[in-house]
Amino acid sequence: MTLFGNSYPRIDLSDSIVLITGGGRGIGRATAELFAAKGARVVLADVDLAAAEVAAGAIGGSATALQLDVRSRDDWEKAVAELGRVDVLINNAGVMPVAAFLDETDAIIEATMDINVLGLSHGMRVVVPGMIDRGYGHVVNVASLAGKIPIPGLVAYNASKFAAVGLSAAARLEFAPHGVSVSTILPSAVRTMLSSGIELGHGMPTVDPEDVAAAIVATCRSRKAETPVPGYLSAIDLGLAVAPERLLNLVRSLADGNRALTGVDHSARAAYESRVLSVTDQS
């Protein structure tokens, strides 16, 4: 792909170091498996080192685990120093609290912004200078369709993902002349712990982690700016950008758009919510 007259240099995955945050579970683990199958050296970074080690062990080969809290600039610096170089950075780590905005705690909101936005910022600001020095590299920021569509019950998550989309789009423009591409992935609801306790389907497009992983790996070739998952949502995304609020509210009601506010099974979500709280305790 070309931008501003500059061609993005081809990335040979069989000779690449791929750093994946949130690599211990879900989308991160599925993405690591797919990159490893293509011959890349994958590094599964996660604040939960034990989960990353289990995932890396299952993948085998050259896959390795690394403890990384994406909120910590020092952790990023240490990771890059240890690896020597990163050819492909997958900023996947994220949290999704579900609650009425006025009921949410300050600690959870701050952690959501720190992980979902500053985590991406720290990663790019530490990793991309090396890519620019080498004249090539690729960054994938895993955002969400919630970065385009407001959803009651996900106000803090919406805010973080809208920010992630804007951060990625502007950084893409700055890095392109240096041969470094930035792609944003916009999944709909994904069958992972992130969506546990929330009723899926019934008008809400739902995908598996492997679907998102395939879209992530595909950007290493296409270098597309944004990729919704599933792909057919690209047309819907364009329509939402110009649709009047009354029409959007009708569509939301037909798809039970308040389910994250009124239809959450918190007992089924307890394990995930406990993990999110444990992260805030480490701040």
Side-chain angles (χ1 to χ4, degrees):
M1 179 180 177
T2 62
L3 188 62
F4 301 141
N6 296 302
S7 297
Y8 290 124
R10 178 179 175 272
I11 292 177
D12 180 2
L13 291 181
S14 66
D15 188 38
S16 293
I17 298 175
V18 181
L19 174 61
I20 305 167
T21 68
R25 299 178 176 85
I27 293 171
R29 178 168 177 167
T31 302
E33 291 171 351
L34 190 51
F35 271 115
K38 293 185 177 295
R41 175 188 166 193
V42 294
V43 181
L44 291 79
D46 204 298
V47 69
D48 185 346
L49 179 59
E53 288 175 335
V54 168
I59 293 170
S62 62
T64 56
L66 180 71
Q67 187 164 31
L68 172 64
D69 184 338
V70 297
R71 300 170 296 176
S72 167
R73 177 74 179 244
D74 287 344
D75 275 16
W76 278 105
E77 297 279 5
K78 290 174 185 176
V80 172
E82 179 178 330
L83 296 174
R85 79 173 201 271
V86 175
D87 302 302
V88 179
L89 170 64
I90 312 299
N91 277 319
N92 164 69
V95 295
M96 188 178 80
V98 176
F101 180 51
L102 298 182
D103 294 337
E104 194 57 274
T105 67
D106 289 345
I108 290 291
I109 292 174
E110 289 167 7
T112 301
M113 301 304 291
D114 284 349
I115 295 168
N116 295 1
V117 183
L118 291 181
L120 275 59
S121 176
H122 289 325
M124 289 193 292
R125 284 167 55 81
V126 172
V127 172
V128 169
M131 292 179 171
I132 290 174
D133 288 344
R134 292 186 294 275
Y136 74 93
H138 184 49
V139 177
V140 180
N141 290 330
V142 180
S144 168
L145 280 172
K148 302 274 189 162
I149 305 170
I151 304 169
L154 297 180
V155 174
Y157 184 72
N158 271 140
S160 70
K161 293 303 183 177
F162 270 76
V165 169
L167 175 72
S168 304
R172 176 181 173 87
L173 296 177
E174 288 195 12
F175 301 157
H178 304 285
V180 178
S181 47
V182 178
S183 295
T184 309
I185 302 295
L186 304 166
S188 58
V190 186
R191 297 181 185 92
T192 66
M193 285 189 72
L194 206 73
S195 60
S196 58
I198 302 173
E199 186 179 9
L200 303 179
H202 303 285
M204 179 190 295
T206 308
V207 296
D208 292 311
E210 292 76 15
D211 300 319
V212 184
I216 290 170
V217 173
T219 67
C220 293
R221 178 176 49 82
S222 72
R223 315 297 258 278
K224 287 180 63 175
E226 292 185 353
T227 302
V229 185
Y232 68 78
L233 290 175
S234 57
I236 296 175
D237 179 32
L238 178 62
L240 289 172
V242 297
E245 184 180 29
R246 183 175 297 178
L247 177 58
L248 292 178
N249 287 339
L250 174 61
V251 172
R252 186 177 289 114
S253 66
L254 292 173
D256 189 13
N258 287 333
R259 72 183 76 185
L261 191 61
T262 61
V264 179
D265 181 350
H266 287 283
S267 63
R269 197 170 170 77
Y272 177 76
E273 291 177 344
S274 176
R275 269 182 42 214
V276 174
L277 286 171
S278 72
V279 170
T280 66
D281 289 342
Q282 297 172 26
S283 357

